[in-house]
Amino acid sequence: MASSLTKDSVVSEKTFIGHPRGLATLFMTEMWERFSYYGMRALLVLYLVSGGADAATGSQGGGLAMTAATASAIYAVYVSMVYLMAMPGGWFGDRVWGARKTVTIAGFVIMAGHLSLAVPGQGMFFVGLILVAVGSGLLKANISTMVGHLYDGPDDPRRDGGFTIFYMGINLGAFVAPLVIGTVGEKHNWHLGFALAAVGMALGLAQFLIGTRHLSAKSSVVPNPLDAAERKAILFKVAIAAVVIAGFYGAVVVAGMYTLNWALVPLTLAGLIIPIAVLVRIKRDRSLSTAEQSKMSAYIWFFVAAAVFWMIYDQGGSTLSLFADGKTGDSLFGFDFPATWFQSLNPLFVMALAPVFAWMWLWLARKNQEPSTIVKFAMALVLVGGSFFVFIVPMGMAGDGTKVSPMWLVSIYMIQTIAELCLSPVGLSVTTKMAPQKYASQMMGVWFLAVTAGDCATGLLSLAGVDLNGTSIIAMQALLASAAGIAIYMYRKKVETLMGDVH
C-alpha cells in the first residue's frame, strides 16, 4: 500500500478548512484578480469624464475629459467584452492550453493591461482596456473549472461548500478594491490607482504559481486538443480576419473618417448579435431530443430576463457612479469618503445577505413554499426595476444642484443586491440543469452572454445619443424591467411546462 502512494495523493491530504489545499490557491488568485478588476472598474467612468471639461465633478483632473454618454458607452462595451471573452476563454482551456496554463497566461495579460492603463495617454488606455478584457475572459472561464477539478466528481459532498468559499473570495476582493484603489486613484492620481490594480494581479499571479502544486493534475490536461488540421484551419481563418479588419480600419483612418464610434458601434452590435446567434444555433440543432428542445425554449425566457436585469444592474459602475461623484454628498456622520467607495456596497451586501438567502430558500423548501426558479427571476426583475424607481427620487432632488444624502445610493445598491441574489446563483444552477447534454460545457458561457447582451443594449443607447443619466430614460428602464418581471410571472406556468423535469 505504501508504495502506491503518489506525490499527488500525499498533497491532496493537506486541507484548507476541510477542503482540498488547492482551494486556498484558487481562492486567493480569484480574490486578487477581482481586486484588480473591480478597483480599475470603480475608477473607469470617473477617469473618463475627469478633466478640464468636467471640473465641476470635483475630481482631481487629469482624465480623458469625455462626455458622460461616451464614458457610459465605453464602460458598457468593456464590461460586455469581459463576459463575451469567457466563451473563447473556455475554448482555449478545453482545446489549446488546458485550464492551468490558460489561467497563468491570463494573469500576465491582465497585469500588462493594468500597467498599460497606468501610462498616461488615450492610446495606452484603450490598449490596457483590451488586454484586461481579454485576460479576464480567459481567466473567468477556467478558474471555476479548476475548482471543480479539486473534488471527486459532482457528488462530492464538499463541492457546493467549496464553490461557496470561492464565491466569497470574489466578493472579498470586490469589496476591498474600491476602498484602496478607488481612494488612491480618485483622490491622488488616476494612474497610480491603475498601477495598484496591476500590483494586485501580480500578487494573485505569484501565489498562484507558488501554490500550483496543490492543484489537481486534471487542471493541466487539455481535454479535447486540436489536431494539426484543425489548428491550421483556425490559424488561417484568424489571419484572414485580421487582414480584413486591419485593411478596413486602415482605409477608414487614411480617409480621415475614423472616430471612436467606428470601434464602439461594431463591438456593441457584435455583443448583441453573437448571443442571439449562439442561442439560435443551439435551438435549431436537430440532433437535440424533444425534451432538450423544450428546455431550450424555456431557457430563452430566462436568458432574456437576465439580459434585461444586467442592463440595469451593471449601471452601478456608470450611471450610479456618475451620480455619486457629482450629485451625492461625500460625508456621512462627519466622515468624508470618495465616490468610488459606493462600489464596495454591492459585494458587502452580497457577503452579508447570501447566507441569509441560502438559509431562507432551504427553510421555505422544507415547508414546500420555496418559489420556483421562474418566480425568483420575476422577483429579481421587479426589484431591479424598483431600484430605478427609487433612483428617480434623488435625481429629482438633485435637479437644482443640491447634493443628496448618500443613503439614497445605499438603499438602491441594497435593493439591487437582493435582486441579484434572486437571479444570479439561481441562473447558474438552472443553466447547468437545462443544458442539452451535447452543449453541457458551453452553456455556462451562454449564461455569461446574457450579461454581454444586457450591457451592449445599454452601450447602444449611449451611442445613439440617449442620456442614460436623465430621469426619463431611468423611468423607462424601471418600467421595462418591472413589466418584464410581471410578464414572466404571468407566463410562469407555460415556462414551467417547457422546463419538463427541471424545477
Side-chain angles (χ1 to χ4, degrees):
M1 286 292 292
S3 62
S4 67
L5 288 175
T6 66
K7 182 179 179 180
D8 283 346
S9 64
V10 173
V11 169
S12 67
E13 292 173 0
K14 298 181 180 180
T15 61
F16 168 65
I17 54 175
H19 290 267
R21 176 65 181 82
L23 183 61
T25 297
L26 299 176
F27 174 95
M28 294 297 292
T29 304
E30 183 71 353
M31 185 193 75
W32 282 115
E33 188 272 331
R34 292 290 89 181
F35 172 85
S36 68
Y37 173 77
Y38 281 102
M40 182 276 284
R41 207 176 85 160
L43 296 177
L44 184 56
V45 170
L46 301 183
Y47 170 69
L48 289 173
V49 301
S50 174
D54 201 44
T57 62
S59 299
Q60 93 271 24
L64 297 183
M66 294 182 178
T67 64
T70 302
S72 296
I74 291 172
Y75 172 87
V77 171
Y78 164 68
V79 174
S80 69
M81 290 302 107
V82 168
Y83 287 91
L84 181 62
M85 291 304 298
M87 285 202 76
W91 181 86
F92 268 92
D94 286 342
R95 308 215 61 190
V96 183
W97 291 325
R100 189 182 306 192
K101 185 176 180 179
T102 304
V103 167
T104 303
I105 292 171
F108 281 108
V109 172
I110 293 169
M111 186 170 62
H114 289 304
L115 288 173
S116 298
L117 292 169
V119 178
Q122 185 168 305
M124 291 302 292
F125 170 80
F126 284 109
V127 168
L129 222 54
I130 292 168
L131 289 173
V132 174
V134 170
S136 297
L138 287 171
L139 186 140
K140 180 180 287 293
N142 290 282
I143 196 164
S144 296
T145 300
M146 295 170 72
V147 174
H149 288 161
L150 296 173
Y151 298 95
D152 187 19
D155 296 327
D156 190 321
R158 302 171 299 169
R159 187 183 180 92
D160 286 352
F163 274 98
T164 301
I165 294 169
F166 180 72
Y167 188 63
M168 294 301 285
I170 295 173
N171 286 284
L172 183 59
F175 168 68
V176 175
L179 305 180
V180 179
I181 295 174
T183 301
V184 172
E186 184 182 354
K187 293 300 183 183
H188 300 285
N189 183 281
W190 299 113
H191 300 290
L192 183 56
F194 293 135
L196 278 179
V199 171
M201 189 64 252
L203 290 172
L205 183 58
Q207 70 83 39
F208 177 77
L209 294 173
I210 292 170
T212 191
R213 65 186 185 277
H214 299 298
L215 302 176
S216 168
K218 295 179 185 176
S219 298
S220 297
V221 174
V222 181
N224 183 24
L226 292 171
D227 59 36
E230 288 176 314
R231 188 182 297 269
K232 184 177 179 180
I234 289 170
L235 288 174
F236 178 76
K237 291 176 182 177
V238 170
I240 292 295
V243 169
V244 171
I245 292 170
F248 174 78
Y249 279 101
V252 171
V253 171
V254 169
M257 299 168 56
Y258 182 80
T259 64
L260 189 57
N261 280 358
W262 278 96
L264 294 179
V265 172
L267 287 173
T268 305
L269 292 175
L272 290 170
I273 294 169
I274 291 173
I276 294 171
V278 170
L279 282 174
V280 169
R281 179 175 63 86
I282 295 174
K283 184 70 179 68
R284 296 182 65 182
D285 188 337
R286 295 183 179 179
S287 69
L288 299 184
S289 67
T290 303
E292 288 176 326
Q293 285 281 1
S294 178
K295 288 175 183 177
M296 281 305 302
S297 296
Y299 187 77
I300 290 172
W301 284 79
F302 291 106
F303 185 92
V304 173
V308 173
F309 174 86
W310 294 115
M311 182 182 73
I312 293 178
Y313 181 88
D314 273 347
Q315 289 181 59
S318 54
T319 306
L320 291 180
S321 182
L322 289 170
F323 187 85
D325 186 49
K327 299 180 179 180
T328 304
D330 58 0
S331 178
L332 192 63
F333 305 121
F335 178 74
D336 297 333
F337 56 90
T340 48
W341 281 26
F342 284 104
Q343 301 297 306
S344 288
L345 288 172
N346 171 253
L348 175 65
F349 290 145
V350 168
M351 290 187 289
L353 297 176
V356 176
F357 269 72
W359 171 83
M360 182 178 69
W361 297 139
L362 286 172
W363 179 68
L364 289 171
R366 284 196 293 268
K367 300 178 69 175
N368 203 29
Q369 295 178 355
E370 182 184 8
S372 65
T373 300
I374 194 69
V375 171
K376 289 176 183 176
F377 267 63
M379 291 165 57
L381 284 171
V382 171
L383 283 167
V384 81
S387 75
F388 264 25
F389 279 124
V390 173
F391 188 26
I392 292 171
V393 179
M395 289 185 77
M397 295 169 63
D400 60 358
T402 302
K403 289 203 171 187
V404 303
S405 167
M407 294 309 296
W408 282 106
L409 284 183
V410 172
S411 301
I412 292 167
Y413 279 113
M414 176 174 278
I415 295 169
Q416 292 189 350
T417 302
I418 293 171
E420 179 193 5
L421 291 171
C422 290
L423 180 138
S424 188
V426 178
L428 289 169
S429 176
V430 79
T431 298
T432 59
K433 291 177 181 177
M434 295 175 66
Q437 186 63 37
K438 182 177 179 179
Y439 297 101
S441 60
Q442 295 181 40
M443 284 298 288
M444 197 57 69
V446 173
W447 170 250
F448 287 136
L449 288 180
V451 185
T452 298
D455 283 317
C456 282
T458 305
L460 202 60
L461 287 173
S462 293
L463 292 171
V466 176
D467 181 13
L468 291 176
N469 302 285
T471 304
S472 58
I473 190 64
I474 294 297
M476 187 192 79
Q477 291 179 85
L479 283 169
L480 172 64
S482 300
I486 293 169
I488 285 174
Y489 181 79
M490 291 175 64
Y491 280 89
R492 67 190 185 280
K493 296 297 183 185
K494 177 181 178 180
V495 178
E496 288 169 356
T497 300
L498 291 171
M499 291 171 69
D501 58 354
V502 176
H503 301 289

